[in-house]
Amino acid sequence: MTKKAVVDLDNSRVEEQRQVMRKIVATGKCPFCLVNFVEHQTEETLFDGKYWLLTYNRWPYKNTKVHLLAIYKEHAEHLTEVDPEAGRELIEVFQWASKHFNVPGGGFVMRFGDTNYSAGSVHHLHAQFIQPDIDAEGYEPVRVKVGKSR
Ligand SMILES: [Zn+2]
């Protein structure tokens, strides 16, 4: 029987990320399930809620001033597996982040399910919180991809 994939290397963006992800693939463990995540975590936990753990994105997108990850604390891959109460907490988590980082504006996004459609790199459900760095040298708008490149 084939093991179910925990990450999608096609959707990784930088070489260091690919290397870390290859190691994770080798273990077959989900990198965002808490027990595994804490083992490899290098960034501080910013908010530890009932449903979500908020931390920095280790590989922030280009042109971001703030790029955070809210990771669902139980293994879930599809939106339909999430407790709707978690939606309420996610707003609270991102409100906290907005205040903490003094964010004048930005966006948040959550992709889900089949990574061919979502273009996510890790199957375990997570949401991204982004403030673009509009004053950065060579700034370009932050674009989030939904759907795998062919
Ligand atoms: Zn997981």
Side-chain angles (χ1 to χ4, degrees):
M1 202 175 95
T2 347
K3 252 192 270 173
K4 199 169 178 226
V6 287
V7 296
D8 190 335
L9 284 171
D10 293 348
N11 293 333
S12 62
R13 290 169 291 109
V14 291
E15 187 50 35
E16 189 210 344
Q17 183 188 18
R18 267 189 287 279
Q19 285 173 12
V20 171
M21 285 173 71
R22 274 193 202 101
K23 279 184 204 156
I24 293 164
V25 170
T27 67
K29 293 179 190 166
C30 172
F32 281 179
C33 273
L34 274 190
V35 58
N36 308 325
F37 182 77
V38 170
E39 205 177 298
H40 295 105
Q41 186 178 16
T42 51
E43 290 70 31
E44 94 184 85
T45 295
L46 296 163
F47 191 108
D48 191 8
K50 180 178 175 196
Y51 298 99
W52 302 94
L53 184 144
L54 183 71
T55 186
Y56 294 96
N57 189 331
R58 196 189 295 184
W59 297 287
Y61 290 178
K62 222 178 146 196
N63 299 305
T64 55
K65 187 163 186 178
V66 178
H67 191 173
L68 309 176
L69 279 185
I71 300 171
Y72 197 58
K73 289 175 84 170
E74 281 183 24
H75 188 85
E77 299 186 0
H78 199 280
L79 185 60
T80 56
E81 298 168 58
V82 172
D83 184 338
E85 275 303 306
R88 181 185 176 79
E89 191 186 82
L90 188 63
I91 295 295
E92 287 170 3
V93 168
F94 286 159
Q95 285 175 335
W96 177 89
S98 291
K99 287 177 193 148
H100 184 77
F101 292 97
N102 215 359
V103 174
F108 58 87
V109 64
M110 182 166 62
R111 299 179 287 200
F112 62 90
D114 186 331
T115 54
N116 288 314
Y117 294 89
S118 71
S121 51
V122 178
H123 292 243
H124 185 127
L125 206 75
H126 56 283
Q128 314 198 40
F129 177 93
I130 293 166
Q131 178 193 341
D133 192 1
I134 60 171
D135 298 319
E137 182 93 17
Y139 164 75
E140 281 179 44
V142 178
R143 293 193 165 84
V144 177
K145 192 166 72 169
V146 180
K148 189 181 260 189
S149 305
R150 289 192 183 203

mmCIF file of all heavy atoms in Angstrom, residues 6-7 9 16-31 40 58:
data_model
loop_
_atom_site.group_PDB
_atom_site.id
_atom_site.type_symbol
_atom_site.label_atom_id
_atom_site.label_comp_id
_atom_site.label_asym_id
_atom_site.label_seq_id
_atom_site.Cartn_x
_atom_site.Cartn_y
_atom_site.Cartn_z
ATOM 1 N N VAL A 6 2.259 13.516 2.779
ATOM 2 C CA VAL A 6 2.042 14.540 3.805
ATOM 3 C C VAL A 6 2.420 15.928 3.292
ATOM 4 O O VAL A 6 1.967 16.929 3.824
ATOM 5 C CB VAL A 6 2.813 14.228 5.115
ATOM 6 C CG1 VAL A 6 2.162 13.079 5.857
ATOM 7 C CG2 VAL A 6 4.281 13.947 4.860
ATOM 8 N N VAL A 7 3.265 15.963 2.274
ATOM 9 C CA VAL A 7 3.646 17.240 1.668
ATOM 10 C C VAL A 7 3.618 17.087 0.146
ATOM 11 O O VAL A 7 3.621 15.980 -0.366
ATOM 12 C CB VAL A 7 5.067 17.705 2.104
ATOM 13 C CG1 VAL A 7 5.119 17.978 3.587
ATOM 14 C CG2 VAL A 7 6.140 16.703 1.712
ATOM 15 N N LEU A 9 5.894 18.281 -2.855
ATOM 16 C CA LEU A 9 7.158 18.935 -3.227
ATOM 17 C C LEU A 9 7.020 19.819 -4.470
ATOM 18 O O LEU A 9 7.758 20.780 -4.618
ATOM 19 C CB LEU A 9 8.240 17.878 -3.471
ATOM 20 C CG LEU A 9 8.824 17.256 -2.200
ATOM 21 C CD1 LEU A 9 9.706 16.072 -2.552
ATOM 22 C CD2 LEU A 9 9.633 18.279 -1.422
ATOM 23 N N GLU A 16 15.918 25.448 0.325
ATOM 24 C CA GLU A 16 16.019 24.993 1.718
ATOM 25 C C GLU A 16 14.708 24.330 2.147
ATOM 26 O O GLU A 16 14.710 23.311 2.840
ATOM 27 C CB GLU A 16 16.331 26.179 2.639
ATOM 28 C CG GLU A 16 16.665 25.738 4.061
ATOM 29 C CD GLU A 16 16.283 26.762 5.120
ATOM 30 O OE1 GLU A 16 16.043 27.927 4.779
ATOM 31 O OE2 GLU A 16 16.211 26.368 6.292
ATOM 32 N N GLN A 17 13.600 24.906 1.683
ATOM 33 C CA GLN A 17 12.285 24.344 2.006
ATOM 34 C C GLN A 17 12.165 22.945 1.400
ATOM 35 O O GLN A 17 11.691 22.016 2.047
ATOM 36 C CB GLN A 17 11.199 25.273 1.451
ATOM 37 C CG GLN A 17 9.778 24.819 1.783
ATOM 38 C CD GLN A 17 8.717 25.646 1.062
ATOM 39 O OE1 GLN A 17 9.010 26.332 0.082
ATOM 40 N NE2 GLN A 17 7.499 25.577 1.533
ATOM 41 N N ARG A 18 12.630 22.803 0.151
ATOM 42 C CA ARG A 18 12.571 21.494 -0.507
ATOM 43 C C ARG A 18 13.367 20.452 0.273
ATOM 44 O O ARG A 18 12.931 19.322 0.435
ATOM 45 C CB ARG A 18 13.094 21.581 -1.945
ATOM 46 C CG ARG A 18 11.979 21.827 -2.956
ATOM 47 C CD ARG A 18 12.478 21.701 -4.383
ATOM 48 N NE ARG A 18 13.297 22.831 -4.785
ATOM 49 C CZ ARG A 18 12.784 24.001 -5.189
ATOM 50 N NH1 ARG A 18 11.480 24.170 -5.265
ATOM 51 N NH2 ARG A 18 13.565 24.996 -5.533
ATOM 52 N N GLN A 19 14.561 20.869 0.766
ATOM 53 C CA GLN A 19 15.402 19.929 1.514
ATOM 54 C C GLN A 19 14.728 19.480 2.800
ATOM 55 O O GLN A 19 14.720 18.295 3.121
ATOM 56 C CB GLN A 19 16.762 20.561 1.826
ATOM 57 C CG GLN A 19 17.657 20.615 0.609
ATOM 58 C CD GLN A 19 18.936 21.390 0.860
ATOM 59 O OE1 GLN A 19 19.260 21.708 1.999
ATOM 60 N NE2 GLN A 19 19.663 21.693 -0.196
ATOM 61 N N VAL A 20 14.168 20.450 3.536
ATOM 62 C CA VAL A 20 13.476 20.107 4.781
ATOM 63 C C VAL A 20 12.293 19.196 4.465
ATOM 64 O O VAL A 20 12.054 18.204 5.150
ATOM 65 C CB VAL A 20 13.016 21.384 5.533
ATOM 66 C CG1 VAL A 20 12.108 21.041 6.709
ATOM 67 C CG2 VAL A 20 14.225 22.169 6.028
ATOM 68 N N MET A 21 11.581 19.519 3.403
ATOM 69 C CA MET A 21 10.407 18.729 3.043
ATOM 70 C C MET A 21 10.780 17.312 2.611
ATOM 71 O O MET A 21 10.058 16.368 2.905
ATOM 72 C CB MET A 21 9.586 19.456 1.975
ATOM 73 C CG MET A 21 8.810 20.629 2.570
ATOM 74 S SD MET A 21 7.976 21.674 1.358
ATOM 75 C CE MET A 21 6.676 20.594 0.818
ATOM 76 N N ARG A 22 11.928 17.167 1.933
ATOM 77 C CA ARG A 22 12.367 15.827 1.535
ATOM 78 C C ARG A 22 12.619 14.961 2.759
ATOM 79 O O ARG A 22 12.291 13.783 2.783
ATOM 80 C CB ARG A 22 13.632 15.897 0.680
ATOM 81 C CG ARG A 22 13.301 16.097 -0.771
ATOM 82 C CD ARG A 22 14.488 15.868 -1.692
ATOM 83 N NE ARG A 22 14.250 16.556 -2.946
ATOM 84 C CZ ARG A 22 14.788 17.730 -3.274
ATOM 85 N NH1 ARG A 22 15.648 18.318 -2.470
ATOM 86 N NH2 ARG A 22 14.487 18.304 -4.408
ATOM 87 N N LYS A 23 13.217 15.577 3.797
ATOM 88 C CA LYS A 23 13.463 14.846 5.050
ATOM 89 C C LYS A 23 12.141 14.416 5.669
ATOM 90 O O LYS A 23 12.018 13.309 6.196
ATOM 91 C CB LYS A 23 14.228 15.725 6.045
ATOM 92 C CG LYS A 23 15.718 15.761 5.786
ATOM 93 C CD LYS A 23 16.433 16.557 6.864
ATOM 94 C CE LYS A 23 17.759 17.083 6.336
ATOM 95 N NZ LYS A 23 18.206 18.275 7.061
ATOM 96 N N ILE A 24 11.150 15.306 5.618
ATOM 97 C CA ILE A 24 9.839 14.997 6.191
ATOM 98 C C ILE A 24 9.186 13.853 5.422
ATOM 99 O O ILE A 24 8.641 12.929 6.016
ATOM 100 C CB ILE A 24 8.937 16.258 6.174
ATOM 101 C CG1 ILE A 24 9.497 17.307 7.133
ATOM 102 C CG2 ILE A 24 7.504 15.907 6.542
ATOM 103 C CD1 ILE A 24 8.959 18.703 6.939
ATOM 104 N N VAL A 25 9.290 13.915 4.089
ATOM 105 C CA VAL A 25 8.729 12.847 3.258
ATOM 106 C C VAL A 25 9.337 11.511 3.662
ATOM 107 O O VAL A 25 8.642 10.502 3.776
ATOM 108 C CB VAL A 25 8.989 13.122 1.755
ATOM 109 C CG1 VAL A 25 8.637 11.908 0.907
ATOM 110 C CG2 VAL A 25 8.184 14.331 1.294
ATOM 111 N N ALA A 26 10.651 11.529 3.924
ATOM 112 C CA ALA A 26 11.357 10.302 4.290
ATOM 113 C C ALA A 26 10.825 9.707 5.603
ATOM 114 O O ALA A 26 10.766 8.492 5.760
ATOM 115 C CB ALA A 26 12.847 10.570 4.393
ATOM 116 N N THR A 27 10.423 10.572 6.528
ATOM 117 C CA THR A 27 9.907 10.068 7.808
ATOM 118 C C THR A 27 8.446 9.634 7.676
ATOM 119 O O THR A 27 7.965 8.835 8.476
ATOM 120 C CB THR A 27 9.950 11.142 8.932
ATOM 121 O OG1 THR A 27 9.034 12.184 8.607
ATOM 122 C CG2 THR A 27 11.341 11.700 9.132
ATOM 123 N N GLY A 28 7.742 10.188 6.678
ATOM 124 C CA GLY A 28 6.329 9.867 6.490
ATOM 125 C C GLY A 28 5.424 10.528 7.524
ATOM 126 O O GLY A 28 4.234 10.274 7.567
ATOM 127 N N LYS A 29 6.011 11.396 8.367
ATOM 128 C CA LYS A 29 5.213 12.074 9.400
ATOM 129 C C LYS A 29 4.702 13.404 8.872
ATOM 130 O O LYS A 29 5.382 14.076 8.107
ATOM 131 C CB LYS A 29 6.069 12.356 10.638
ATOM 132 C CG LYS A 29 6.515 11.129 11.397
ATOM 133 C CD LYS A 29 7.374 11.587 12.574
ATOM 134 C CE LYS A 29 8.082 10.449 13.262
ATOM 135 N NZ LYS A 29 9.154 10.984 14.157
ATOM 136 N N CYS A 30 3.540 13.799 9.340
ATOM 137 C CA CYS A 30 2.985 15.090 8.943
ATOM 138 C C CYS A 30 3.744 16.212 9.663
ATOM 139 O O CYS A 30 3.785 16.247 10.888
ATOM 140 C CB CYS A 30 1.504 15.158 9.297
ATOM 141 S SG CYS A 30 0.818 16.798 9.058
ATOM 142 N N PRO A 31 4.326 17.157 8.916
ATOM 143 C CA PRO A 31 5.145 18.201 9.538
ATOM 144 C C PRO A 31 4.363 19.180 10.407
ATOM 145 O O PRO A 31 4.942 19.847 11.256
ATOM 146 C CB PRO A 31 5.758 18.931 8.346
ATOM 147 C CG PRO A 31 4.835 18.652 7.214
ATOM 148 C CD PRO A 31 4.275 17.288 7.454
ATOM 149 N N HIS A 40 10.461 20.154 15.068
ATOM 150 C CA HIS A 40 11.250 20.876 14.060
ATOM 151 C C HIS A 40 11.088 22.389 14.151
ATOM 152 O O HIS A 40 11.679 23.131 13.370
ATOM 153 C CB HIS A 40 10.846 20.438 12.651
ATOM 154 C CG HIS A 40 11.151 19.005 12.362
ATOM 155 N ND1 HIS A 40 10.179 18.036 12.325
ATOM 156 C CD2 HIS A 40 12.324 18.368 12.145
ATOM 157 C CE1 HIS A 40 10.743 16.867 12.074
ATOM 158 N NE2 HIS A 40 12.042 17.032 11.964
ATOM 159 N N ARG A 58 8.359 30.129 8.229
ATOM 160 C CA ARG A 58 9.811 29.973 8.122
ATOM 161 C C ARG A 58 10.324 30.412 6.749
ATOM 162 O O ARG A 58 11.457 30.834 6.595
ATOM 163 C CB ARG A 58 10.202 28.513 8.372
ATOM 164 C CG ARG A 58 11.683 28.360 8.669
ATOM 165 C CD ARG A 58 12.135 26.912 8.697
ATOM 166 N NE ARG A 58 11.518 26.163 9.776
ATOM 167 C CZ ARG A 58 11.826 24.884 10.041
ATOM 168 N NH1 ARG A 58 12.726 24.247 9.315
ATOM 169 N NH2 ARG A 58 11.244 24.249 11.029
#
